[in-house]
Every structure is written in structure tokens, then in C-alpha cells.
Amino acid sequence: MKIGVYPGSFDPFTVGHHDVLMHAVSLFDQVYVSVLRNVAKNPVFSTQERVDLIRRMVEEEQLSSVKVTYFDGLLVDHCREIGAKYIIRGLRAVTDFEYEFQIGAINRHLSSEVHTVYFMASPEHSFLSSSSVREIGAYGGSIDGLVPECMKNTVAERLRRQ
Ligand code: ADP
């Protein structure tokens, strides 16, 4: 069974993340969306909120091969725990490449059995980041079309009152 893990902050999950996830679903038998419990990054949404929002979307879209969880510590250790041999990441621009290249090489160094697979962002999502959603939402702007429809209201409401 081909198991992939899509790790990220997902603070919050966007349609760009969704796009990458759908590519992964088409390639792997099982995909874990694994929310990084990154205390250092000081996320707006708690780990539980991020997991719950993504879980609700996965249920709504009946993505039966997708599991949603969280992790802290080293990604390669998480991969070992869940039996994933592939890490899934998305690439938007050249700036993403440098960062992804570096963490991809580090993970490869830590575990030669785990390979990273990259999906290019769709052109219409190449500008989109969680931080832009947080900023627009904090000022009460419309996040329509930027996050999956089923979580739009919850995310907008939460960003307005942060
Ligand atoms: P991290 O803090 O691990 O970078 P993110 O939630 O920001 O977590 O992103 C998770 C992954 O999704 C990264 O590989 C990132 O490059 C990718 N990604 C983020 N936004 C998009 C997008 N709009 N289109 C495609 N990939 C994206």
C-alpha cells in the first residue's frame, strides 16, 4: 500500500492546499494530512481547530483514503509511525523551492527510505498562502474562494474575532 503524508501548518487550510491534496489522493492509496503542532510559529488556529476543520472537509467530500492527524517532533519519525514512504509538498514559486529543497534534503539525510513528492501549485493558486488568508480575514475582507467552501464561515468568523 502506497502511503503518503501531506504535512503542513495549515493555519488555515486553503484551496491551494486542497489542490495539492487532490493530486496526492489520485496517486496514493492512503494520504495523511498531518498538522504540525508548531508552537514556535504561534499559529492563530489551535492544533485541534485545524484538525477539526480539515476533518470536516474530508468527511463532507467523502475522501475515504484521507486521514487527518497532527504531529510534533521530526517528520521522518511521524512517517515511520504511520508507515508513510512519501512526503507530499506543494511548490508555488522559486522562493518555495529554496526552502523545500533544504527540508527535502534534510529529511532525505535523516531517512533514506522516505521520498518527497512535489506538486506545482495551479497558476490560480500560486499567489495564495495561509498568511494572506489570515490577513484578509483579520480585516473582515472576503475569503470567498480562498478556503474550501465548507469551512469558509468558521474560518472567517474565527479570524474576525482573533
Ligand atoms: P509549512 O509551514 O509546512 O510550510 P503550509 O501550511 O504553509 O505549511 O504549507 C504546506 C505545504 O503546502 C507546503 O509545501 C507549501 O509550499 C504548500 N502550499 C501552500 N500553499 C499552497 C498553494 N497555494 N498551492 C500549492 N501548494 C501550497
Side-chain angles (χ1 to χ4, degrees), residues 1-7 24 28-34 65 67 69 71 74-89 107-108 110-117:
M1 181 143 110
K2 269 205 174 77
I3 305 175
V5 58
Y6 183 25
F28 296 99
D29 301 309
Q30 186 148 75
V31 178
Y32 283 81
V33 178
S34 295
S65 64
K67 288 188 177 175
T69 187
F71 75 105
L74 292 178
L75 177 57
V76 289
D77 290 338
H78 178 58
C79 288
R80 209 170 293 125
E81 273 160 28
I82 61 177
K85 292 266 186 286
Y86 301 91
I87 297 168
I88 297 142
R89 298 288 288 176
N107 285 328
R108 193 68 196 268
L110 293 172
S111 172
S112 55
E113 298 160 18
V114 182
H115 301 272
T116 309
V117 178

Side-chain angles (χ1 to χ4, degrees), residues 54-63 149-151:
I54 304 167
R55 257 190 204 145
R56 202 199 300 165
M57 177 200 75
V58 165
E59 273 167 29
E60 197 137 314
E61 299 189 12
Q62 300 181 340
L63 302 173
E149 190 61 28
C150 65
M151 61 174 79

